[in-house]
Amino acid sequence: MSDQGVDRSKRQFLTTALTVVGAVGTGYIAVPFLSQMQPSTKAKAAGAPVEIDISKMETGQLIRAAWRGKPVWVLNRTPEVLEILAEQTDKLADPLSLESNQPESSNNEFRSIKPEIFIAVGLCTHLGCSPTFRPEIAPNDLGEDWKGGFFCPCHGSGFDLAGRVFRGVPAPTNLDVPPHRYMSETRIIIGDESGADA
Ligand code: FES
C-alpha cells in the first residue's frame, strides 16, 4: 500500500470513529435533556386541580386546602354575613371587583357561584402574607367598625368576607378567587372551571 493509500484509510477510520463518538455523545446528552423537558409526576400533581368535599361544612365554617402551592379557603357564609356584605360597600376600594381577579362565574356581588360558599386564594395581594380569618364583629384589636373579614397581620390590610379590600390599606386589590366549579352539590374542584358552572 502507498503512503497516500495509508493516509486515506487513516483519514477514513478517523472520520468514521468521530462520527460514531459524535452519535454516541449526542445520544448520551439527548437522554437527560429530554427527561428534563418532561414534567415530573410531582410537578404535574402540584399543578393539578384539587377536589374539596364540603358535605360536612357547617354554616360559618372555614376550611383550608392547597392548590398549586397556595392556600385556598372555602367559607360557608351565614345569611347575616351576606347582609353585611351588601351594606358596607362604601368602605371598600373595589366593591364591584372591577380591578380584581375572579373567574367569570364569580363575577358578582358575592364573588362566588353560590352566595353562601366563598372560595379564595388565601394570600394577601400586597406582599403575599396569609391573612387571618377574623369573623367576629367589633373585636377589641380591630375596632368597632370591623364586621368580620380577613386581616393581614404583616402590614394591616383588611378584607371583608367576600375578600374585598378595604380602602386605605396597602393591599391594592381584592383577594383572588381561583378558577373552580361544582362537580356536585357538595364537591368542588379548584383549578378547573370547565363545565356547567364555569
Ligand atoms: S402582605 Fe398583607 S398587608 Fe402587606
Side-chain angles (χ1 to χ4, degrees):
M1 194 182 284
S2 69
D3 284 357
Q4 252 185 346
V6 170
D7 280 354
R8 220 185 357 256
S9 64
K10 253 191 200 166
R11 256 204 312 274
Q12 219 160 20
F13 170 76
L14 280 173
T15 309
T16 311
L18 283 172
T19 307
V20 170
V21 168
V24 169
T26 306
Y28 182 71
I29 291 165
V31 171
F33 179 70
L34 274 178
S35 69
Q36 277 163 9
M37 303 257 304
Q38 304 293 330
S40 67
T41 310
K42 204 172 157 192
K44 278 189 208 159
V50 171
E51 210 179 300
I52 300 178
D53 179 2
I54 58 166
S55 61
K56 304 221 165 38
M57 265 190 107
E58 290 171 18
T59 307
Q61 189 184 0
L62 178 90
I63 57 175
R64 294 175 170 85
W67 169 66
R68 295 192 173 171
K70 301 175 191 170
V72 169
W73 300 328
V74 181
L75 173 64
N76 190 350
R77 295 179 289 204
T78 62
E80 294 74 32
V81 164
L82 296 180
E83 270 176 38
I84 291 169
L85 290 180
E87 283 166 8
Q88 59 174 4
T89 52
D90 56 324
K91 296 182 190 156
L92 305 170
D94 183 16
L96 301 177
S97 299
L98 302 177
E99 308 295 328
S100 306
N101 285 326
Q102 59 275 317
E104 195 57 39
S105 54
S106 299
N107 210 351
N108 53 55
E109 60 178 318
F110 298 117
R111 306 189 73 220
S112 57
I113 295 172
K114 296 184 184 187
E116 68 277 23
I117 303 295
F118 175 59
I119 298 171
V121 173
L123 294 177
C124 180
T125 54
H126 180 219
L127 294 176
C129 291
S130 192
T132 47
F133 177 44
R134 298 297 305 271
E136 322 92 284
I137 306 274
N140 285 340
D141 60 334
L142 296 177
E144 276 185 14
D145 288 343
W146 185 264
K147 300 274 194 297
F150 302 99
F151 182 75
C152 183
C154 288
H155 314 98
S157 291
F159 304 84
D160 72 4
L161 289 173
R164 297 176 299 181
V165 67
F166 290 111
R167 288 180 197 277
V169 299
T173 56
N174 299 340
L175 298 179
D176 289 351
V177 175
H180 63 279
R181 68 182 170 90
Y182 283 81
M183 301 170 74
S184 71
E185 272 301 297
T186 56
R187 295 191 88 78
I188 301 169
I189 188 151
I190 311 288
D192 177 4
E193 55 177 336
S194 59
D197 291 317

